[in-house]
Amino acid sequence: MNATGDFISTLNITDLATGWTESQAVLGKAQIKVLEALKVIQNRLPFRLKGIDPDNGSEFINWQLLEYCLTQKIKFTRGRPGKKNDNPYIEEKNWTHVRKIVGYDRLDTIDELEILNNLYADSLRLYMNFFQPVMRLSEKKRIAGQLKRKYDVPKTPYQRLLKSRSI
């Protein structure tokens, strides 16, 4: 396997309250491309983007993205250095929305980028956000040395979004 050159990565945004997820494929990890992908996602969201908590890659932790967040009034926080699982919601969506669908093969052409972005903006986006219910952990207790978890009723991100707007 050759690791040289640019390859396609996926930028994921997941709303913690509803589970709503948007994705955008990016060829390379240039800061400007990641910022452009964030803007595309921001325009597709059915609500205002209030904050981001990216991982510690240089494509995310940079002055350009920070300046954009400041001008857009988007709260900008970051994960702790060396803590890979600081963003478990995103790690879960990287599995369910990217790896299970796209796989692990290296994609690196403009045609593949366009196909992925069409999938992310249309069919996959609609399926995952409107038709795929998600269980959310509502309670966690330790009883006699065992961890007991309770989950709420499975709902789609769209159903959660409707409920949050009616409150």
Side-chain angles (χ1 to χ4, degrees):
M1 177 184 249
N2 185 354
T4 61
D6 287 338
F7 56 90
I8 297 172
S9 299
T10 297
L11 175 65
N12 278 326
I13 300 276
T14 299
D15 179 55
L16 297 183
T18 64
W20 191 279
T21 300
E22 295 285 348
S23 303
Q24 184 73 12
V26 179
L27 183 58
K29 291 192 175 187
Q31 296 171 4
I32 189 71
K33 291 182 180 182
V34 172
L35 182 58
E36 287 170 3
L38 177 63
K39 290 177 183 177
V40 169
I41 287 174
Q42 191 175 3
N43 286 328
R44 280 201 310 250
L45 289 170
F47 45 79
R48 189 176 82 73
L49 183 62
K50 294 181 182 179
I52 61 171
D53 186 31
D55 67 21
N56 291 318
S58 60
E59 65 272 24
F60 300 116
I61 306 298
N62 60 67
W63 289 107
Q64 193 172 26
L65 185 58
L66 178 62
E67 181 68 28
Y68 177 75
C69 288
L70 290 172
T71 60
Q72 295 291 308
K73 295 184 173 49
I74 299 170
K75 185 176 179 178
F76 185 89
T77 58
R78 60 176 239 167
R80 298 170 295 172
K83 303 291 184 184
K84 288 184 82 170
N85 204 24
D86 261 2
N87 288 321
Y89 297 102
I90 286 296
E91 298 305 330
E92 176 188 5
K93 300 304 180 182
N94 284 342
W95 169 245
T96 59
H97 289 55
V98 180
R99 296 290 171 239
K100 282 177 75 174
I101 308 297
V102 179
Y104 288 90
D105 290 343
R106 177 185 166 129
L107 305 176
D108 54 13
T109 69
I110 296 296
D111 288 341
E112 292 166 328
L113 179 72
E114 289 176 7
I115 290 168
L116 267 181
N117 278 331
N118 287 336
L119 178 67
Y120 289 154
D122 295 323
S123 311
L124 186 61
R125 171 183 187 260
L126 297 174
Y127 175 69
M128 292 299 198
N129 288 319
F130 288 89
F131 299 102
Q132 194 63 32
V134 178
M135 289 188 340
R136 302 285 304 264
L137 183 65
S138 61
E139 187 179 342
K140 195 166 38 171
K141 288 184 186 176
R142 187 166 297 278
I143 301 172
Q146 287 189 337
L147 199 58
K148 301 289 183 183
R149 294 178 179 94
K150 279 188 179 178
Y151 295 90
D152 68 357
V153 176
K155 295 178 187 160
T156 66
Y158 176 68
Q159 290 169 325
R160 292 181 195 284
L161 179 65
L162 288 178
K163 185 175 182 186
S164 71
R165 289 190 173 184
S166 67
I167 295 175

